Amino acid sequence: MRYLKPTSIHEAADALESSRGTILAGGTDLCVYMAEGVCQPETLIDISGIDSMRGIETIQSGREEATVRIGAGTTVAEVAASEALPDCLRQGAQAVGSPQIRNLGTIGGNVCNASPCGDTLTPLLALDARFVLRSTAGTRTVESEEFFTGPKQTVLDPHEILEFIELPSASCARASAFRMIGNRKGQAISQVNAAVSVAIVDGVMSDVRVAVGSVAPVPLRLAGLEELLSGKTVEDLHPANLRDAVLEGVRPIDDVRSTATYRQEVTVALVFDALAACGGQRSGQDEGAGAW
Ligand SMILES: Cc1cc2nc3c(=O)[nH]c(=O)nc-3n(C[C@H](O)[C@H](O)[C@H](O)COP(=O)(O)OP(=O)(O)OC[C@H]3O[C@@H](n4cnc5c(N)ncnc54)[C@H](O)[C@@H]3O)c2cc1C
């Protein structure tokens, strides 16, 4: 196997184009697949030495709305600790694996791995994130909602690298929360997760974004629920009011981690709890799904 370690994004794009290799970031997913024989890359392109792909900064260009830009090579631990990022994204990152996994794994790797239960994916959807993809031809930007096409599948071409994740600053100003449920504390992968981002003025909700994971082949926005909640007050929030709109949007399956029926019930609970946290009625993961 060939191993390349470019130090710039252009060098990485050239290497990917010429070798048709496989991108290695933290390796916390890829090395597992290699060990299991699921994939056997001929060339590994290690992007961990590209400094420009790490870090979080606010970009203001001309009169355009400011953007919070996260390098795809930023570790999950760095995302989890960043005060510059909205609560739901930090909480999603905090839910990933163990400290060792968060220190090695990157947010770009979590996105490109495209697991339906990836814990940063629903926050990114709820925040209207955009993904900047780099190839030798230049860059193109894809909305997060259009990026995921199936379990472990995305619109990323084989010669493209996820370079940055961008969050519109308006989405960062909204209240937000992430909730997940797993089999146990510690390294449990989400059986269901949910992220909510909402503007609340005088108790009235607008710009509502609700995203759920592990309840369909891709992480999903719940458009019907978002419409239902828009213009309502946080006092109107009750699980019974959300239930039909949540269940209309999800398509869970039975698998080794839980049944479809369980996932449906838990999704309603997690979405309600995240919305309630945004409304200031509750806070803290421990008060989660079983609280009502
Ligand atoms: C024990 C354990 C527990 C875990 N727990 C969780 C959990 O609780 N929640 C969760 O969401 N995940 C979990 N994971 C999965 C994993 O840690 C995350 O998905 C992590 O963020 C992957 O990042 P990485 O940098 O290690 O990606 P890598 O393994 O390096 O790459 C993953 C995939 O993405 C591609 N890729 C990576 N970066 C780019 C890029 N910039 N551009 C294009 N392609 C790219 C790679 O080619 C590969 O196909 C766990 C993994 C392990 C081993």
Side-chain angles (χ1 to χ4, degrees), residues 7-58:
T7 53
S8 76
I9 185 70
H10 297 289
E11 220 184 294
D14 285 343
L16 192 58
E17 177 84 30
S18 58
S19 70
R20 295 270 154 180
T22 301
I23 298 291
L24 171 72
T28 60
D29 281 314
L30 187 62
C31 292
V32 174
Y33 302 145
M34 287 165 63
E36 288 173 347
V38 175
C39 82
Q40 290 159 329
E42 281 178 19
T43 306
L44 277 182
I45 302 169
D46 181 349
I47 56 172
S48 66
I50 304 176
D51 292 343
S52 66
M53 285 182 69
R54 285 188 79 148
I56 299 157
E57 59 180 333
T58 302

Side-chain angles (χ1 to χ4, degrees), residues 146-159:
E146 286 158 19
F147 186 77
F148 304 100
T149 54
K152 310 271 167 90
Q153 284 167 16
T154 71
V155 300
L156 200 70
D157 285 336
H159 58 278

